[in-house]
């Protein structure tokens, strides 16, 4: 009888321990991925605002990716219209409702740590993109947070090279006052945005490094916005007129606005003698058309399809708890958490 009780006790203990182990194992399996089998990965795409030329292109490419991967991924898009509180509320709602991945074009880069801390509470992976946070330590603080962007100096360097080539090929028309110096207006996206600062700095340094003197007539912060740039250029043209020999815009939207302002006064309509060199960044369809018509000097390709592909590929890896770079050709830069999409110089061959 005693032997029977001993065997029964051992058996019950064994069953109890086995049950606990199975339960724990099921829990590990259940939490190893947030994805329900057979369901698409639910992705919240949080965008700063609609009217920045590059962002709609990224959205269009993400939508194309969803069509090509039916049943695998489901993107839902939200615009904050430059209101961080609005974006915060959207993030909170998505986290509570249940989302597998967040793609975040953050409104206020200074709020990155606060936003990361909130997302971390829910153990949801997040990729910040396009608007680079400072310092990058905020992203490093969460092992499921990464950044995908570009190298801002590269864009500026391409812009500078375009203007150097134009100066060398068409100096008689550009150097209107014949002082051997390029007088320019700089239209900067934002005052404290790393991308804008890099583009601004390196566009001019490349021109100077080529042995061309420059003189900045004015720098205006136009917030990446076409209408703000147009208003700024109208005021500047009325004040400086023919003294302006080049306009360097941090994006194509501002370049387009500048050209509209110039055209109001009879400039940049095809007559080289009445054309002020204008360069932008993004290679939007409108900018490409302006270049073909001779109204705009050049632009730089910010590769929206490549950005969308990187967001999808790395995002899916994160959603399934894989190494973010698994099966990709991407590499982290020296921050260890950032991936850079290269720019391309625009040419007719891009069409």
């Amino acid at each position: 009888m005693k032997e029977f009780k001993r065997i029964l006790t051992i058996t019950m203990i064994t069953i109890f321990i086995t049950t606990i182990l199975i339960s724990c194992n099921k829990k590990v399996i259940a939490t190893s991925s947030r994805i329900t089998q057979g369901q698409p990965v639910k992705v919240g795409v949080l965008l700063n605002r609609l009217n920045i030329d590059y962002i709609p292109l990224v959205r269009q490419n993400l939508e194309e990716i969803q069509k090509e991967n039916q049943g695998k991924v489901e993107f839902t898009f939200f615009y904050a219209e430059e209101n961080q509180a609005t974006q915060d509320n959207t993030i909170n709602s998505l986290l509570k409702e249940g989302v597998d991945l967040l793609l975040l074009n953050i409104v206020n880069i200074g709020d990155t740590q606060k936003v990361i801390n909130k997302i971390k509470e829910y153990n949801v992976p997040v990729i910040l993109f396009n608007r680079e946070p400072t310092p990058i330590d905020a992203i490093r603080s969460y092992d499921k947070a990464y950044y995908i962007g570009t190298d801002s100096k590269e864009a500026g360097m391409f812009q500078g090279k375009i203007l150097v080539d134009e100066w060398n090929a068409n100096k008689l028309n550009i150097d209107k006052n014949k002082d051997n110096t390029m007088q320019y207006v700089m239209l900067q996206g934002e005052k404290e945005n790393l991308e804008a600062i890099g583009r601004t700095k390196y566009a001019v340094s490349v021109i100077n490094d080529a042995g061309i003197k420059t003189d900045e007539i004015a720098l205006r912060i136009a917030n990446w916005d076409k209408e703000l740039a147009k208003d700024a250029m109208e005021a500047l043209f009325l004040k400086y007129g023919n003294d302006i020999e080049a306009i360097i815009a941090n994006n194509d939207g501002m370049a387009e606005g500048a050209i509209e302002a110039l055209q109001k006064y009879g400039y940049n309509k095809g007559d080289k003698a009445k054309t002020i060199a204008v360069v932008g960044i993004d290679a939007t369809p409108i900018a490409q058309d302006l270049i073909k018509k001779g109204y705009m000097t050049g632009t730089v390709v910010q590769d929206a399809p490549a950005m969308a592909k990187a967001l999808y590929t790395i995002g899916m890896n994160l959603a399934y708890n894989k190494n973010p770079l698994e099966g990709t050709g991407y590499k982290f830069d020296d921050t260890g958490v950032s991936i850079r999409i290269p720019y391309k110089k625009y040419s007719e061959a891009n069409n």
Side-chain angles (χ1 to χ4, degrees):
M1 189 67 179
K2 288 183 179 179
E3 182 65 20
F4 174 76
K5 287 183 178 180
R6 189 177 69 82
I7 293 172
L8 182 61
T9 302
I10 293 172
T11 302
M12 290 177 66
I13 292 172
T14 302
I15 292 171
F16 179 71
I17 293 172
T18 302
T19 302
I20 291 174
L21 289 173
I22 290 172
S23 176
C24 290
N25 189 47
K26 285 181 178 178
K27 186 176 181 181
V28 170
I29 291 170
T31 58
S32 64
S33 174
R34 302 174 62 88
I35 316 304
T36 303
Q37 188 172 3
Q39 296 297 314
V41 174
K42 294 181 180 180
V43 185
V45 186
L46 297 110
L47 305 170
N48 179 16
R49 72 184 203 220
L50 178 62
N51 64 337
I52 297 179
D53 295 318
Y54 177 67
I55 294 302
L57 295 176
V58 173
R59 172 174 179 162
Q60 289 170 20
N61 281 276
L62 287 173
E63 289 172 336
E64 286 299 316
I65 287 172
Q66 180 172 311
K67 289 177 184 177
E68 294 166 2
N69 294 273
Q70 287 289 345
K72 293 183 180 179
V73 65
E74 182 182 294
F75 295 112
T76 306
F77 299 88
F78 305 89
Y79 289 94
E81 296 305 330
E82 296 193 290
N83 189 316
Q84 187 62 54
T86 298
Q87 192 170 76
D88 289 345
N89 289 336
T90 303
I91 291 171
N92 289 336
S93 295
L94 288 170
L95 292 172
K96 289 175 182 176
E97 291 169 8
V99 67
D100 303 313
L101 171 69
L102 293 174
L103 303 180
L104 178 57
N105 177 230
I106 196 167
V107 174
N108 184 1
I109 56 177
D111 283 4
T112 302
Q113 187 67 69
K114 180 189 73 175
V115 173
I116 290 287
N117 290 344
K118 170 57 67 174
I119 297 170
K120 187 176 180 179
E121 289 177 18
Y122 288 80
N123 199 36
V124 173
V126 57
I127 301 175
L128 286 84
F129 69 99
N130 185 244
R131 294 172 62 78
E132 185 166 1
T134 51
I136 203 72
D137 292 345
I139 293 180
R140 286 200 190 103
S141 70
Y142 178 35
D143 62 2
K144 292 187 179 181
Y146 296 91
Y147 174 74
I148 301 178
T150 54
D151 184 346
S152 59
K153 70 179 182 182
E154 188 177 46
M157 290 171 72
F158 275 129
Q159 279 190 310
K161 183 64 166 60
I162 291 168
L163 286 174
V164 168
D165 291 345
E166 185 68 14
W167 178 271
N168 291 335
N170 195 27
K171 184 178 176 182
L172 287 176
N173 286 322
I174 295 180
D175 190 15
K176 302 181 189 305
N177 60 6
K178 312 305 176 190
D179 67 348
N180 207 36
T181 300
M182 186 187 297
Q183 275 81 25
Y184 70 92
V185 168
M186 179 65 70
L187 297 174
Q188 185 167 316
E190 293 174 85
K191 187 175 182 180
E192 296 180 359
N193 182 288
L194 288 182
E195 190 76 22
I197 293 168
R199 293 177 183 189
T200 298
K201 175 182 177 181
Y202 285 96
V204 179
S205 67
V206 164
I207 298 170
N208 295 150
D209 289 346
I212 300 170
K213 296 178 182 178
T214 57
D215 177 21
E216 184 177 272
I217 290 177
L219 182 151
R220 294 292 183 269
I221 305 298
N223 202 30
W224 310 106
D225 188 83
K226 175 183 174 180
E227 294 304 317
L228 290 178
K230 181 180 178 180
D231 292 344
M233 276 311 307
E234 282 194 25
L236 288 170
F237 190 85
L238 288 173
K239 184 174 183 179
Y240 297 104
N242 207 40
D243 290 339
I244 302 170
E245 298 173 341
I247 298 169
I248 304 171
N250 279 175
N251 75 340
D252 282 343
M254 293 188 295
E256 293 160 18
I259 290 169
E260 286 189 12
L262 296 175
Q263 289 180 332
K264 180 178 178 179
Y265 299 102
Y267 280 73
N268 289 57
K269 291 187 172 183
D271 180 357
K272 285 191 175 292
K274 293 192 70 177
T275 295
I276 293 172
V278 180
V279 292
I281 296 170
D282 285 336
T284 63
I286 293 174
Q288 293 179 32
D289 186 57
L290 290 171
I291 292 168
K292 289 176 186 175
K293 291 176 178 177
Y295 303 163
M296 183 169 168
T297 307
T299 186
V300 180
V301 180
Q302 184 169 203
D303 200 335
M307 172 62 79
K309 182 181 178 182
L311 289 169
Y312 170 70
T313 307
I314 294 170
M316 292 294 277
N317 279 343
L318 292 173
Y320 283 105
N321 284 335
K322 297 179 181 179
N323 183 305
L325 303 185
E326 182 176 321
T328 76
Y330 305 115
K331 295 180 180 179
F332 290 127
D333 65 8
D334 56 8
T335 67
V337 293
S338 302
I339 294 157
R340 307 289 172 179
I341 306 297
Y343 285 98
K344 303 174 186 175
K345 183 179 177 181
Y346 176 79
S347 68
E348 293 301 320
N350 291 114
N351 296 327

